[in-house]
Amino acid sequence: LLCEYLSTFLADSSESIPSATARSEVCLWHLGCFEKILKQLMNQDPMDSVDPKYRKDLPEELRDQVIAAKANLPAALADAMAGIAEAYLKDTFMGEDAPLQDTLQAWPDLADEDIATARAHLPRDLSMQHWVAVYRLLRPKAAR
């Protein structure tokens, strides 16, 4: 359980987890899903801390192409984009003109078939500067 890990390895009290249910039910292998649920409950937008370099608007033609491709794209794509944004796009170590698809291809959480599907359907002209705009078009409706 997560609370046992906290007390044994991190020398922290299990009371640091404010939810009794979480203390009694959440195991270490649940952490990824638990984090996702907590972020949804907090209504945190994964794009909030993305560097402005990756926040450029899409030209209308590219926007229309992404919208047209959305039905054919894997459901996991928006989650992968959120994960990449949170992990790597707070800083500007990637060029804004770098192809967006190359970054997706390097992400280990996307299955090979999902990468192939994204490459087949997303416009090739998308670059890293369009990251936030593409995410906002692809994210599930329930997301902020």
Side-chain angles (χ1 to χ4, degrees):
L1 289 175
L2 178 59
C3 64
E4 292 172 2
Y5 178 80
L6 279 172
S7 61
T8 305
F9 295 100
L10 300 180
D12 198 359
S13 165
S14 64
E15 297 302 313
S16 64
I17 301 173
S19 165
T21 302
R23 283 194 301 272
S24 65
E25 301 293 330
V26 175
C27 297
L28 288 179
W29 60 83
H30 297 136
L31 282 182
C33 293
F34 186 55
E35 177 187 23
K36 185 176 178 180
I37 290 169
L38 288 176
K39 286 179 180 177
Q40 288 172 350
L41 291 173
M42 294 182 329
N43 208 14
Q44 179 181 350
D45 185 340
M47 300 299 133
D48 282 349
S49 59
V50 170
D51 189 273
K53 184 176 181 175
Y54 310 116
R55 296 175 165 272
K56 305 252 170 56
D57 291 335
L58 280 167
E60 190 173 341
E61 182 180 330
L62 275 178
R63 185 180 189 284
D64 293 344
Q65 290 174 13
V66 171
I67 291 169
K70 184 176 179 175
N72 298 311
L73 295 170
L77 184 58
D79 283 345
M81 291 184 74
I84 293 168
E86 290 178 321
Y88 299 108
L89 300 183
K90 296 174 184 177
D91 299 314
T92 60
F93 67 91
M94 250 182 275
E96 64 189 71
D97 294 322
L100 184 141
Q101 290 188 15
D102 291 354
T103 301
L104 290 175
Q105 187 166 341
W107 189 244
D109 291 348
L110 265 179
D112 289 343
E113 61 270 12
D114 288 343
I115 292 169
T117 302
R119 290 185 75 81
H121 294 285
L122 282 174
R124 304 231 183 281
D125 294 338
L126 291 174
S127 60
M128 290 303 297
Q129 65 186 321
H130 304 126
W131 192 273
V132 172
V134 171
Y135 170 80
R136 297 219 190 285
L137 291 173
L138 299 181
R139 70 182 172 193
K141 293 291 183 209
R144 200 178 108 193

